[in-house]
Amino acid sequence: MKQFVTFVLAAAAFVHAQDTGTSSLQPLVNIGYVVFPSFEALDVFGPLDPLNMLSMTVPLNLSIIAGSLDPVNTRPVSMATPSFFGESIVPSHTFADPPKNLDVLIVPGGLGTRAPIEQLQPAIDFIKTQYPDLKYLISVCTGATLLARAGVLDGRRATSNKAAWAFVKSTGPNVEWVPQARWVVDGNIWTTSGVAAGIDGIFAWIGHVWGEDTSLRIANLIEYERHTDPSWDPFAIIWNTTGTASAPAASAKLLPVIEI
Ligand SMILES: *[C@@H]1O[C@H](CO)[C@@H](O)[C@H](O)[C@H]1NC(C)=O
Ligand SMILES: *[C@@H]1O[C@H](CO)[C@@H](O)[C@H](O)[C@H]1NC(C)=O
């Protein structure tokens, strides 16, 4: 424990020493994360970890926002599995009583985005209501389908999980879906591809707001090797979202029918 605290303090001091210049120019403070049952764990905790690191030296307030204050679990509710396997996050706010003055809203994906529309409507309405006042709206994986259904992606370029491409497109007929991209930026909306892509997306976003040095330093602290090219996307070929795959990818055939 002592070692961990020393590490964290050293890390914070290190980040702080070189960042005060850029961060003071960016008064983004209030970050909200939407959660719903059967959210994808990494869609939430992947981007949150670098943000946790950032918050050690830059003032950030995090709100976890859901339909109620009950813990929200990752366990699939819409499909039978042989397991009791999942973990919960505890919301700090509800859609009906949200935090004031959100600057940034982040929306994860996961199996829960396939829930019946009436279960998702409060989250969709919340995104729609908040968007005009946000400085940034960010989605990870199939979280983009909630943005699409809120109408905020209409006429814009966006991406999402390539393994769920048909479902993704069906939720936003007026969206210009980009079939090959690690992440896409259109105005103040950042959409990232499947699950792990959210980590590259958040690092790019941190770089955009607080400077590339800050982003790289946090990536080095967590020993994460970033993909920094937003068009890097081998999964577009694996899932044939570009329509250019000549042979079925072996890895695609081996994957189970679970879709996220
Ligand atoms: C951040 O949260 C703290 C603690 O609740 C609060 O005092 C502060 O006003 C918040 N900052 C902003 C900008 O809302
Ligand atoms: C990829 O999609 C294109 C266009 O839909 C189709 O013609 C082609 O057969 C697909 N490739 C594979 C390997 O399924």
Side-chain angles (χ1 to χ4, degrees), residues 237-249:
I237 305 300
I238 288 169
W239 294 106
N240 198 17
T241 52
T242 49
T244 54
S246 50

Side-chain angles (χ1 to χ4, degrees), residues 87-104:
E87 54 286 334
S88 292
I89 191 166
V90 183
S92 60
H93 293 81
T94 62
F95 299 132
D97 189 13
K100 302 225 174 351
N101 307 320
L102 276 178
D103 298 307
V104 183

Side-chain angles (χ1 to χ4, degrees), residues 2 8 11 23 25 34 54 58 90 98 106 114 134 147 152 156 162 178 187 207 223 225 234 237 240 258:
K2 186 160 178 269
V8 167
S23 60
L25 299 173
V34 167
L54 184 66
V58 168
V90 183
I106 312 181
R114 317 274 184 141
L134 296 173
L147 273 53
V152 301
R156 293 191 190 240
K162 307 310 175 319
V178 181
E223 301 200 9
E225 187 173 16
I237 305 300
N240 198 17
I258 297 171

Side-chain angles (χ1 to χ4, degrees), residues 155-203:
R156 293 191 190 240
R157 298 169 73 250
T159 199
S160 185
N161 191 321
K162 307 310 175 319
W165 205 237
F167 163 63
V168 164
K169 288 204 291 186
S170 75
T171 64
N174 301 319
V175 180
E176 196 186 317
W177 294 107
V178 181
Q180 186 159 28
R182 188 71 168 163
W183 71 88
V184 166
V185 182
D186 191 324
N188 63 352
I189 304 187
W190 291 55
T191 52
T192 70
S193 188
V195 192
I199 303 176
D200 287 325
I202 209 71
F203 273 118

